[in-house]
């Protein structure tokens, strides 16, 4: 009697098993920021930043605190929550728009402080860096190149804010930077028995790369201090994100068959309160699915989704699905669907 054909092995699963975040102690209100800019010589009406952005405050890294400092704090919390030693990690990705220096990779600074011996490298793609890092960690585990990864981010974009613009034109050019705050986040990524990362998608429209950024420090402007400040066309970026972002969400819902009701949470990169309100209006995402942090923390770049996840992680239960929506300068959109194991 012929034997039955062997059943194919189920596909391997990789998921997020632990989360941590870290915030600097110093809190800077929008009115205090306005006072700093006004002392630089440009008179501004009271309440201008909060009225325009909905951001009341943000956290600011202190002197002696760096991108790596915030990443290390978040990493230790994620490892402690998982009951892991740094030596249990064999891949460490520092995935951030900010870094300590041009060379070496900031991942080595983080690794040295933790005492890990993992393969360490940086991943950078503006505010999508952290989601890119999670995706890369998953891919390397599935490829057999790693068994357990620690993905960390430390963001200090507040240091790229122009505190003394020379003119109203310079102020407007730098305005998007006044939304920035600092934060760190970390996740452990490893094989799981059920659930895990179910779907990842990306959309990239690089023709918009010049719409906003910090253009100094590279080979184009290696020593031009003016290029070390963030500048950009916020209205242009918003238009692109609205057009491309909605199509990305349509794609993931069509591909997975999941609707908003199927997600316990929707984590979306947050720039300003008005932008978040527009996101809700344009996409139909129920407000109670969101984790709103922008009003108290500002735009914390790639740490945004990690901080949001850390705030709700303890209330998620196995089988809950979470949708990550990343928006990054360049311009790129990322979606990631994760099911709690």
């Amino acid at each position: 009697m012929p034997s039955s054909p062997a059943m194919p092995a189920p596909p391997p699963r990789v998921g997020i098993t632990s989360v941590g975040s870290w915030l600097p102690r110093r809190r800077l209100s929008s009115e205090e920021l306005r006072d700093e800019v006004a002392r630089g010589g440009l008179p501004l009406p009271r309440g201008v930043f909060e009225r325009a952005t909905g951001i009341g405050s943000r956290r600011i890294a202190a002197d002696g605190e760096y991108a790596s400092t915030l990443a290390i704090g978040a990493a230790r919390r994620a490892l402690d929550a998982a009951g892991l030693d740094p030596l249990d990690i064999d891949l460490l990705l520092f995935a951030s728009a900010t870094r300590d220096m041009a060379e070496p990779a900031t991942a080595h600074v983080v690794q040295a402080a933790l005492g890990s011996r993992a393969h360490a490298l940086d991943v950078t793609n503006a505010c999508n860096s952290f989601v890119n890092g999670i995706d890369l960690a998953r891919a390397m585990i599935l490829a057999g190149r790693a068994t357990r990864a620690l993905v960390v981010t430390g963001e200090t974009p507040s240091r790229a804010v122009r505190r003394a613009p020379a003119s109203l034109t310079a102020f407007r050019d730098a305005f998007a930077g006044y939304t920035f705050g600092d934060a760190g986040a970390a996740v452990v990524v490893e094989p799981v028995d059920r659930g895990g990362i179910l779907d990842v998608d990306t959309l990239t429209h690089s023709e918009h790369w010049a719409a906003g950024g910090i253009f100094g420090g590279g080979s184009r402007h290696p020593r031009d201090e003016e290029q070390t400040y963030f500048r950009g066309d916020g209205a242009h970026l918003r238009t692109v994100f609205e057009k491309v972002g909605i199509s990305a969400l349509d794609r993931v819902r069509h591909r997975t068959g999941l609707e908003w009701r199927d997600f316990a949470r929707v984590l979306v990169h947050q720039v300003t309160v008005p932008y978040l309100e527009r996101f809700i209006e344009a996409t139909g995402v129920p407000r109670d699915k969101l984790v709103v942090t922008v009003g108290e923390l500002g735009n914390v770049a790639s740490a945004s989704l990690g901080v949001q996840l850390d705030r709700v992680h303890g209330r998620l239960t196995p089988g809950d699905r979470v949708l990550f929506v990343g928006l990054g300068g360049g311009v790129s959109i990322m979606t990631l669907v994760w099911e709690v194991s």
Side-chain angles (χ1 to χ4, degrees), residues 241-292:
F241 284 141
E242 283 187 11
K243 181 179 178 180
V244 180
I246 293 172
S247 65
L249 292 176
D250 289 341
R251 281 162 53 124
V252 69
R253 292 163 68 197
H254 175 76
R255 187 173 53 254
T256 63
L258 298 173
E259 298 297 333
W260 298 131
R261 65 177 177 271
D262 299 314
F263 294 104
R265 292 291 184 174
V266 177
L267 312 180
V268 60
H269 178 59
Q270 296 174 24
V271 179
T272 66
V273 171
Y275 187 89
L276 189 60
E277 293 292 339
R278 175 57 185 153
F279 174 84
I280 294 169
E281 177 187 355
T283 63
V285 175
R287 189 180 299 272
D288 62 1
K289 300 287 186 183
L290 301 175
V291 182
V292 180

Side-chain angles (χ1 to χ4, degrees), residues 33-154:
L33 179 60
R34 184 211 74 93
D35 291 343
E36 287 187 20
V37 175
R39 284 196 296 270
L42 187 66
L44 296 172
R46 302 200 69 83
V48 60
F49 289 133
E50 189 161 3
R51 284 197 304 272
T53 68
I55 297 169
S57 63
R58 72 278 292 139
R59 298 294 185 92
I60 302 296
D63 292 343
E65 282 187 311
Y66 312 110
S68 61
T69 312
L70 305 183
I72 291 162
R76 286 177 172 150
R77 286 183 170 174
L79 291 172
D80 287 348
L84 294 173
D85 187 275
L87 294 174
D88 295 326
I89 301 296
D90 60 1
L91 174 64
L92 193 158
L93 301 179
F94 178 82
S96 178
T98 312
R99 60 184 66 83
D100 280 15
M101 61 205 84
E103 185 184 0
T106 303
H108 297 298
V109 181
V110 176
Q111 168 149 292
L114 294 177
S116 167
R117 301 300 297 170
H119 176 44
L121 66 148
D122 284 2
V123 178
T124 181
N125 187 23
C127 295
N128 266 332
S129 299
F130 192 56
V131 186
N132 273 122
I134 295 171
D135 185 31
L136 177 58
R138 171 178 176 260
M140 291 185 71
I141 291 169
L142 291 175
R145 293 282 288 113
T147 57
R148 182 183 287 124
L150 179 64
V151 183
V152 302
T153 180

Side-chain angles (χ1 to χ4, degrees), residues 101-245:
M101 61 205 84
E103 185 184 0
T106 303
H108 297 298
V109 181
V110 176
Q111 168 149 292
L114 294 177
S116 167
R117 301 300 297 170
H119 176 44
L121 66 148
D122 284 2
V123 178
T124 181
N125 187 23
C127 295
N128 266 332
S129 299
F130 192 56
V131 186
N132 273 122
I134 295 171
D135 185 31
L136 177 58
R138 171 178 176 260
M140 291 185 71
I141 291 169
L142 291 175
R145 293 282 288 113
T147 57
R148 182 183 287 124
L150 179 64
V151 183
V152 302
T153 180
E155 294 285 14
T156 57
S158 71
R159 290 184 174 158
V161 175
R162 189 183 292 277
R163 301 298 174 94
S167 65
L168 188 58
T169 298
F171 171 74
R172 289 171 176 162
D173 194 38
F175 190 85
Y178 298 115
T179 67
F180 288 150
D182 303 334
V187 292
V188 175
V189 179
E190 60 187 324
V192 293
D193 294 330
R194 60 180 180 175
I197 296 169
L198 307 180
D199 185 84
V200 181
D201 192 20
T202 62
L203 285 173
T204 303
H205 291 256
S206 300
E207 65 271 22
H208 302 289
W209 72 266
I214 302 168
F215 300 107
S219 62
R220 287 177 180 247
H221 306 287
R223 297 174 185 85
D224 186 343
E225 184 178 352
E226 286 297 306
Q227 300 293 339
T228 64
Y229 297 106
F230 183 91
R231 71 174 195 269
D233 185 339
H236 181 185
L237 287 170
R238 175 172 171 165
T239 299
V240 174
F241 284 141
E242 283 187 11
K243 181 179 178 180
V244 180

